Amino acid sequence: MSMATIRSNLLRAAFRGASRNSAQPKRGFSSSAHDDALETAKWEKITYAGIAACTTLAFYNLSKGHPHHEEPPAYPYLHIRNKEFPWGPDGLFEVKHH
């Protein structure tokens, strides 16, 4: 009987020891929060610099003129109308340039 008691005491001690080890709080690193704050501040500055650079580049590209090409000749086969449209002689989305 004493052997069974010793085994049960050992098992209880083992289970108690395991529960103590797993319940220990994890160690927090104080420098980790500081490094994260510095990294966040760095990327915030990079983001603002990127926004400023892209905005400047967009204004520069959009302020330049673009070439206007000559209109192609009015070929007679492009607008063959065999029958009048209900809204008039021109297509619905055609714009006349005078």
Side-chain angles (χ1 to χ4, degrees), residues 81 83-91 94 96:
R81 304 283 191 249
K83 163 175 132 171
E84 190 80 17
F85 288 121
W87 53 83
D90 295 321
E94 292 178 10
K96 283 189 174 184

Side-chain angles (χ1 to χ4, degrees), residues 66-73 97:
H66 58 275
H68 291 272
H69 302 289
E70 295 178 18
E71 286 193 35
H97 296 288

Side-chain angles (χ1 to χ4, degrees), residues 2 8 12 24-25 30 32 39 48 54 56 62 64 67 74 76 95:
S2 69
S8 68
R12 281 189 205 134
Q24 284 182 343
S30 61
S32 176
E39 191 72 15
Y48 288 139
C54 289
T56 304
L62 293 173
K64 295 190 309 183
V95 178

Side-chain angles (χ1 to χ4, degrees), residues 7-37:
R7 270 192 240 148
S8 68
N9 286 340
L10 286 174
L11 287 173
R12 281 189 205 134
F15 283 127
R16 270 191 250 130
S19 66
R20 281 188 200 138
N21 290 339
S22 64
Q24 284 182 343
K26 294 193 178 203
R27 183 176 152 205
F29 296 101
S30 61
S31 65
S32 176
H34 181 67
D35 291 343
D36 289 344

